[in-house]
Amino acid sequence: MKRLVLGAITAALMSTAAHAENIGVSMALFDDNFLTVLRNGMSDYAKTLDGVNLQIEDAQNDVAKQLDQINNFVASGVDAIIVNPVDTSATEAMTRAAEAAGVPLVYVNREPINVDTLPDNQAFVASNEQESGTLETKEVCRLLSEKGKNPARIYIMMGELSNQAAVMRTQDIKDVMKSGECQVELQIIDEQTANWSRDEAQDLMTNWLSTGESFDALISNNDEMALGAIQAMKAANLSMEDVVVGGVDATQDALAAMEAGDLDVTVFQDAAGQGKGAVDAALKLAKGESVDQKVYIPFQLVTPANIADYKSKN
């Protein structure tokens, strides 16, 4: 009888262990508004699941540190890994490390350079960047047309150039210009990176303003840079009614700026949805189930007309 009881207890413990899933998460940077929402989305969702534990690490924008984190996750025996890459052109080494150890890996938010050659137990969860810059630019064009600005002179603020999203969102602007879908002629005065940073964007816009060039719009790869640029323009006593400003992400700070009449357009990127999708993909892969290697969470245009629908989302 004792053997039967002990056997039942052992089986129960083994069953509990089998259902426990440990996932290592390496975030490019904790100190980023959008990535914080993404990280919290993963963490909050995991708390609703029985036996799912997330170990979340900050790579501090350091590629070597991020690769070390992945190797440490492998060594500690995690069931799966989620990576928000520091540098999307440096993901092949991460893929090889996880593949060699047989540990499933999910890239989230930032598209890895090797996305089309990922092994079967790896996937990518994000939003399709062809939508983001396209939605933003088309709305900026519409607003410029409404203001009678034709041709319209614009500045472009880019994210980190090592990041696929920055490259794609900037290309989206130029693709809209070439497609004839813009109701006005856009003339690019300058395009420079501010590395997704509000502070760097404020400095960059201050430099642009010091040249005395007249301009009609700023198209930014993200909201943080748009907000930094707005701070610089307001400090220079530039009327925000005279310039169209666009961003991407629909962060809470961005929506507040839109309500204040400073930001004209943003694009909702569902950070929490991406986080949930990444955790779901990692759990399925850990169980040996198949998932789509590209899982896209749709972008959505946000304007003053529909801002109420997004105030509680990011």
Side-chain angles (χ1 to χ4, degrees), residues 137 140-141 144 149-154 173 176-177 182 184-188 217 219:
T137 305
V140 169
C141 288
L144 288 169
K149 304 283 189 178
N150 192 17
R153 291 162 54 80
I154 68 169
I173 299 168
V176 170
M177 291 169 65
C182 188
V184 299
E185 178 191 346
L186 298 183
Q187 297 177 347
I188 300 172
I219 304 180

Side-chain angles (χ1 to χ4, degrees), residues 52-72:
V52 176
N53 303 304
L54 299 188
Q55 179 184 340
I56 306 178
E57 303 287 346
D58 182 2
Q60 299 176 336
N61 245 12
D62 185 324
V63 175
K65 186 179 183 73
Q66 186 160 63
L67 184 56
D68 284 344
Q69 289 173 349
I70 291 165
N71 287 326
N72 290 338

Side-chain angles (χ1 to χ4, degrees), residues 117-168:
T117 58
L118 294 176
D120 290 341
N121 68 340
Q122 296 188 15
F124 169 56
V125 178
S127 298
N128 189 342
E129 294 297 350
Q130 286 185 319
E131 297 175 2
S132 58
T134 300
L135 288 169
E136 176 190 18
T137 305
K138 285 183 177 179
E139 180 64 9
V140 169
C141 288
R142 187 187 71 78
L143 293 171
L144 288 169
S145 178
E146 271 189 2
K147 290 176 176 289
K149 304 283 189 178
N150 192 17
R153 291 162 54 80
I154 68 169
Y155 282 119
I156 299 174
M157 277 195 184
M158 300 179 288
E160 293 174 8
L161 299 183
S162 62
N163 193 297
Q164 183 270 350
V167 174
M168 191 69 233

Side-chain angles (χ1 to χ4, degrees), residues 109-266:
N109 180 251
R110 297 178 174 180
E111 183 175 306
I113 193 171
N114 55 324
V115 67
D116 292 321
T117 58
L118 294 176
D120 290 341
N121 68 340
Q122 296 188 15
F124 169 56
V125 178
S127 298
N128 189 342
E129 294 297 350
Q130 286 185 319
E131 297 175 2
S132 58
T134 300
L135 288 169
E136 176 190 18
T137 305
K138 285 183 177 179
E139 180 64 9
V140 169
C141 288
R142 187 187 71 78
L143 293 171
L144 288 169
S145 178
E146 271 189 2
K147 290 176 176 289
K149 304 283 189 178
N150 192 17
R153 291 162 54 80
I154 68 169
Y155 282 119
I156 299 174
M157 277 195 184
M158 300 179 288
E160 293 174 8
L161 299 183
S162 62
N163 193 297
Q164 183 270 350
V167 174
M168 191 69 233
R169 290 176 190 179
T170 303
Q171 187 58 49
D172 290 341
I173 299 168
K174 296 173 183 178
D175 287 345
V176 170
M177 291 169 65
K178 292 176 184 176
S179 69
E181 295 178 275
C182 188
Q183 301 94 320
V184 299
E185 178 191 346
L186 298 183
Q187 297 177 347
I188 300 172
I189 306 167
D190 195 10
E191 55 184 88
Q192 292 190 40
T193 180
N195 294 309
W196 305 122
S197 165
R198 191 182 302 197
D199 289 342
E200 290 189 39
Q202 185 171 3
D203 291 341
L204 176 56
M205 178 52 73
T206 298
N207 290 339
W208 279 339
L209 291 171
S210 70
T211 67
E213 290 275 3
S214 63
F215 64 102
D216 303 297
L218 167 72
I219 304 180
S220 172
N221 284 173
N222 80 337
D223 288 337
E224 280 296 287
M225 294 187 295
L227 294 172
I230 288 168
Q231 288 173 339
M233 286 186 271
K234 294 179 80 170
N237 295 316
L238 188 68
S239 171
M240 298 311 301
E241 293 182 4
D242 295 334
V243 60
V244 175
V245 180
V248 175
D249 286 338
T251 63
Q252 289 301 306
D253 285 354
L255 298 183
M258 182 173 285
E259 286 189 311
D262 298 331
L263 183 71
D264 298 283
V265 55
T266 185

